[in-house]
Amino acid sequence: MKGALVAALLAISMGGAGQEERAAKDRAPSLPIPLLEQRIHDLINTERIQSQLPPLKLNERLSKIARDHSQDMASRRFFDHVNPDGQTSVERVAIAHRELIGTVDENIWMESGFDPSRERRLAETIVEKLLASPTHRGNLLKPDSTHLAIGVVSDGSDISMTQLVARIEGFTSAPVPETVKRGESLTFAVKALVPGAACSQFDLWSPQVGRRVLDSLPLSGARIDAVPGVYRVRFYCAEGAGRPVIYSGPRLEVRN
């Protein structure tokens, strides 16, 4: 799941704002964030429909994750898909969304000096710049994507936005536990969202070594005999009689 490249980066001050600047921000009109996020969503779906692609559904759980990354970028003064703790968008979703099975791409955007009262023009500007970038456009116009998440935060005229574009294959019926003891058994039930799809197996993938550490195991129950460490649960899902495709799921820590 490859993250997108940066769409637009305008210079912002990395130091603390002066009293006059802060006072100006306090007097500035507030940005109607829910309306802005909805306008961005509508504009992206308009582009997808014009490209003969299905519209993307909004996913609030992913939007919360996107909004948290936008807030983190604004608070810690960075602009990147990887946060200062070294977490990628894939890792943030795997940590925060304990049921999602699928793939996720990320677009980020930041600008300073925009008039918060012009949210319609701001939405158009954001979408125009994203669509002008081949990588961002590719993320937004993937034919098999199903869901979109948009998280905007603002501090006066300083605005940060994160988008997560996802293909959600399904959800586990219960949250995947954050930790499991080595030798314990795991059982999963999966609710597939794609018509005709079914998930039957899972494994554990090690991001550190770049390979799976267990052979594929049945969802009906299997003993977790992996060395202690942090892994990502992956699910094997097939549509009809086709070969299974492996989709990423939540993070899982194995302990002694």
Side-chain angles (χ1 to χ4, degrees), residues 33-216:
I33 287 177
L35 180 58
L36 174 62
E37 292 175 346
Q38 185 60 56
R39 289 196 191 282
I40 294 170
H41 186 197
D42 292 343
L43 289 169
I44 290 169
N45 275 339
T46 296
E47 185 69 25
R48 285 182 64 89
I49 291 170
Q50 291 176 350
S51 300
Q52 299 183 330
L53 297 171
L56 301 175
K57 299 177 182 178
L58 187 66
N59 186 278
E60 289 294 346
R61 290 280 299 279
L62 287 177
S63 290
K64 171 65 166 55
I65 298 170
R67 200 167 294 116
D68 286 347
H69 185 59
S70 295
Q71 184 62 63
D72 192 27
M73 289 194 296
S75 299
R76 294 203 275 180
R77 297 287 185 171
F78 72 96
F79 185 63
D80 205 312
H81 297 287
V82 181
N83 67 21
D85 303 319
Q87 295 172 342
T88 67
S89 59
V90 173
E91 290 166 332
R92 291 191 296 273
V93 172
I95 292 170
H97 202 313
R98 307 304 304 169
E99 298 97 31
L100 186 144
I101 301 169
T103 61
V104 178
D105 292 296
E106 181 179 78
N107 292 336
I108 57 176
W109 183 91
M110 183 180 288
E111 184 160 327
S112 180
F114 206 96
D115 183 354
S117 66
R118 301 180 61 202
E119 94 285 335
R120 183 184 294 273
R121 181 56 192 148
L122 177 57
E124 293 171 350
T125 298
I126 291 172
V127 175
E128 286 170 0
K129 289 185 176 181
L130 291 174
L131 292 175
S133 160
T135 303
H136 293 84
R137 183 181 182 88
N139 284 341
L140 294 173
L141 300 183
K142 279 189 175 179
D144 62 351
S145 294
T146 59
H147 290 76
L148 177 65
I150 302 170
V152 176
V153 299
S154 70
D155 180 12
S157 62
D158 297 337
I159 301 166
S160 303
M161 183 209 66
T162 302
Q163 292 176 336
L164 295 172
V165 187
R167 172 187 168 86
I168 300 180
E169 188 73 11
F171 298 99
T172 57
S173 59
V176 174
E178 294 184 6
T179 63
V180 64
K181 288 186 177 181
R182 185 177 185 180
E184 288 185 343
S185 293
L186 277 181
T187 301
F188 296 107
V190 174
K191 302 175 183 177
L193 295 189
V194 178
C199 303
S200 59
Q201 295 178 309
F202 74 97
D203 70 19
L204 295 187
W205 172 267
S206 171
Q208 288 76 27
V209 299
R211 61 178 176 83
R212 70 181 187 180
V213 298
L214 294 176
D215 291 334
S216 55

